[in-house]
Amino acid sequence: MRYTIIGSGAGSRRVSKLALGVMRFGTDTDVSTSYDILDRFVEAGGTFVDTSNNYAYWAGGTQGGESETTLGQWRRDRGIGDELVIATKVGARPTDVVERVENGWANQRNRAWEGLAPENVREQAERSRERLGVERLDLYYAHVPDTNGVPLEEYAAGFAALVKDGVIGQFGLSNHWSWQVERARAVNPEAARPSVLQYHHTYLRPRTDIPDPRLSVDGQIGVADASLLAYLRATPGLTLVAYTPLLSGAYTNPAKPLDAAYDHPGTVARLAALDEVAAETGATRNQVVLAWMLGDAMPVIPLVGASSVAQLDESLAAVDLELSEEQRARLDAAGR
């Protein structure tokens, strides 16, 4: 395993360069399989796990919390202490309860969300700590911008108070515009500035102008676009945690087509380059994508999911895959 440092000062932590997302643990991924995947991740040297207080409400028609509960019980059963760095999130947990539906997420997008009022953020931090069985949340993200009218400055201050009180180690932002990241960093004291950003990022480049009906009429707020990546390069001390780097299997599984956001000429060119490098290295497309991200000069941590140990093992093998400078240059240039 390879490691890096996230954050600075008292809240900084050394974490594995590959993070494990446990979003579906305890719902679509049963508890026994969840334990097997977590055991394998730790055995391989993994120390960075990601969840949220709302995972996975769409899978069960609940308000979420199943993922945190499963992770917390595994920690207790295995005697895992603070050597494991846990990130969780707040702000997108439903406040209503509906019956389970077969089409999960698609039929639940219009549910009411909790938002980021400081009193809710503090209350949910306590609930997450209880489910996870930890004294402090290592990394606590604002999952999405507040949807209930709370100003950014107000909820940023709420996270700063949690850092000051020792409830959380670091404040993170997920799915925010880059101007919101800058504003949150400007209004908070240095010790409580957002230090980790979580966005969708992968080798293929999606269109970002397609409106999100829930969060923004201006486009895809949760994508690491050019503005966000440029901000990351220019801001020492920030780390990008990249979710869905393997496009939920679409790189390798013909039964999972690419999202419409990837339907443009650049995708064809980049997939061709990806296949060339995969053939040269004997690796899978997924492994080349992860190796490309792990070797980036930017501080990027791929966040991988897995529904089986075999899937996790494929991702773990990418940690040791070294791309040549020429291969990286070819991958970077494709589609330009």
Side-chain angles (χ1 to χ4, degrees), residues 55-249:
Y55 291 162
Y57 73 83
W58 57 91
T62 66
Q63 293 175 308
E66 296 88 353
S67 173
E68 289 183 333
T69 298
T70 302
L71 179 57
Q73 189 59 53
W74 170 82
R75 285 184 68 257
R76 288 184 282 269
D77 289 346
R78 296 294 190 261
I80 299 293
D82 63 3
E83 67 271 23
L84 190 74
V85 178
I86 299 175
T88 192
K89 311 178 193 73
V90 64
R93 185 174 187 266
T95 54
D96 54 352
V97 179
V98 299
E99 293 183 3
R100 179 184 173 90
V101 292
E102 292 303 319
N103 198 18
W105 172 247
N107 288 334
Q108 297 199 50
R109 285 182 65 88
N110 292 324
R111 293 178 65 178
W113 288 350
E114 61 188 342
L116 293 167
E119 59 272 19
N120 178 69
V121 171
R122 184 174 288 272
E123 177 184 350
Q124 292 303 319
E126 294 299 329
R127 294 185 181 184
S128 288
R129 290 201 303 177
E130 290 175 6
R131 285 190 289 264
L132 292 166
V134 297
E135 293 187 5
R136 183 181 76 165
L137 300 176
D138 298 308
L139 172 59
Y140 202 36
Y141 292 102
H143 202 159
V144 293
D146 181 82
T147 56
N148 300 323
V150 178
L152 183 147
E153 293 83 355
E154 184 176 332
Y155 66 78
F159 281 89
L162 293 179
V163 172
K164 181 179 179 182
D165 293 346
V167 176
I168 68 175
Q170 296 180 65
F171 169 27
L173 287 176
S174 179
N175 303 314
H176 281 64
W177 295 119
S178 54
W179 68 262
Q180 293 174 315
V181 177
E182 172 64 15
R183 184 170 295 178
R185 286 178 60 83
V187 300
N188 272 12
E190 183 175 357
R193 288 174 182 164
S195 56
V196 184
L197 310 178
Q198 186 174 134
Y199 290 76
H200 172 51
H201 179 54
T202 185
Y203 174 61
L204 295 183
R205 296 174 173 173
R207 288 177 53 188
T208 59
D209 61 325
I210 302 172
D212 182 323
R214 183 63 188 259
L215 293 174
S216 177
V217 298
D218 296 312
Q220 297 294 307
I221 192 171
V223 174
D225 61 6
S227 176
L228 194 283
L229 294 176
Y231 186 86
L232 184 70
R233 291 183 193 278
T235 311
L238 274 180
T239 300
L240 173 64
V241 172
Y243 68 76
T244 325
L246 302 180
L247 301 178
S248 302

Side-chain angles (χ1 to χ4, degrees), residues 17 201 229 232 239-242 293-294 296-302:
K17 282 274 290 182
H201 179 54
L229 294 176
L232 184 70
T239 300
L240 173 64
V241 172
M293 297 175 75
L294 287 164
D296 201 311
M298 290 193 302
V300 177
I301 298 175

